[in-house]
Amino acid sequence: MQWWAILLIAIAVVAFIGIIFAIWWITTYNKLVRRENDVDEAYSTMDIYMKKRYDLIPNLVETVKGYAKHEHDTLENVMKARYASMMAKNPEEKAQSENLLAGTLKSLFKVTEDYPELRADKHFIQLMDSLRDIETEIASSRKYYNGTVKIFNNTCETFPSNIIAKKYKFAAKVLFEISDPIERQNPKVKF
């Protein structure tokens, strides 16, 4: 075999390896982009459900105000937490403010337990049913969001795709987690 034939074979092998590497690079980059878009879409969906809740809370607070006039601080804290959550700029801030809002809503529910006539109010019952449905939707959307974040983070942090993730500055996303240790405890049921 002549030297030029060996050189042609070597060039062909190097070109083939280069093409394979380029295909891998492009597909991995595209996979990272798609997964990041999935995370953004999941966050947007969760945000829509939280917006529904934000819109429902003032109606709920106004209904409770009519029955529990002296619970002003509790109602004001709920509205402040709602506002803080609406103004959160990124997922980290949103998770913290959502945990605060969940805590203040619990205090609002505690107020409603103290007023049996409120629990019998038709408008209040409808609002509570709507809030319960929205909370279920939020929980489902958080689960979906966390699932897409996990897949994205795994892609960003595992070899060899982490090379491309670092090159193009794909950063791991934050999971939506409970930050209050009290919320992690099992509830006590009393009869």
Side-chain angles (χ1 to χ4, degrees):
M1 199 182 240
Q2 305 234 353
W3 66 270
W4 55 269
I6 295 172
L7 181 63
L8 281 176
I9 292 172
I11 290 172
V13 168
V14 169
F16 180 74
I17 291 171
I19 290 169
I20 296 295
F21 180 76
I23 291 170
W24 169 80
W25 190 276
I26 291 167
T27 57
T28 303
Y29 175 81
N30 289 341
K31 180 172 37 172
L32 284 162
V33 169
R34 279 192 305 276
R35 290 187 175 164
E36 187 172 47
N37 289 339
D38 288 344
V39 169
D40 293 342
E41 182 265 337
Y43 183 79
S44 177
T45 300
M46 184 173 50
D47 206 36
I48 289 167
Y49 290 130
M50 288 186 277
K51 169 83 169 82
K52 281 183 178 178
R53 180 176 27 157
Y54 302 150
D55 294 344
L56 182 65
I57 288 172
N59 295 329
L60 189 61
V61 167
E62 287 302 315
T63 303
V64 174
K65 272 185 187 177
Y67 287 91
K69 293 185 184 348
H70 67 280
E71 299 288 354
H72 179 71
D73 290 343
T74 300
L75 300 175
E76 191 172 301
N77 288 339
V78 169
M79 293 306 287
K80 284 180 184 175
R82 171 189 173 263
Y83 180 76
S85 189
M86 288 174 59
M87 295 296 114
K89 300 283 187 243
N90 57 49
E92 296 86 8
E93 288 178 15
K94 184 72 98 175
Q96 291 173 350
S97 61
E98 279 295 313
N99 287 330
L100 177 65
L101 180 58
T104 60
L105 283 175
K106 285 180 183 178
S107 64
L108 179 64
F109 297 148
K110 171 69 174 105
V111 168
T112 64
E113 290 172 5
D114 296 339
Y115 296 89
E117 65 277 6
L118 174 61
R119 289 183 298 197
D121 181 84
K122 180 181 174 185
H123 185 63
F124 177 76
I125 292 169
Q126 289 173 338
L127 288 169
M128 289 302 291
D129 288 344
S130 295
L131 185 61
R132 186 177 12 264
D133 292 344
I134 289 171
E135 290 297 325
T136 301
E137 290 171 346
I138 289 171
S140 295
S141 64
R142 282 181 180 172
K143 183 178 178 182
Y144 175 68
Y145 171 80
N146 282 344
T148 59
V149 167
K150 181 186 112 188
I151 291 168
F152 177 76
N153 288 351
N154 285 343
T155 305
C156 285
E157 296 170 356
T158 56
F159 182 80
S161 58
N162 66 340
I163 296 167
I164 296 171
K166 286 178 186 173
K167 169 110 175 104
Y168 293 105
K169 295 180 175 59
F170 286 99
K173 307 287 184 181
V174 177
L175 295 168
F176 238 88
E177 297 178 314
I178 295 173
S179 61
D180 186 2
I182 294 171
E183 289 185 41
R184 294 183 187 271
Q185 296 174 1
N186 288 332
K188 293 182 176 144
V189 179
K190 293 180 184 178
F191 294 102

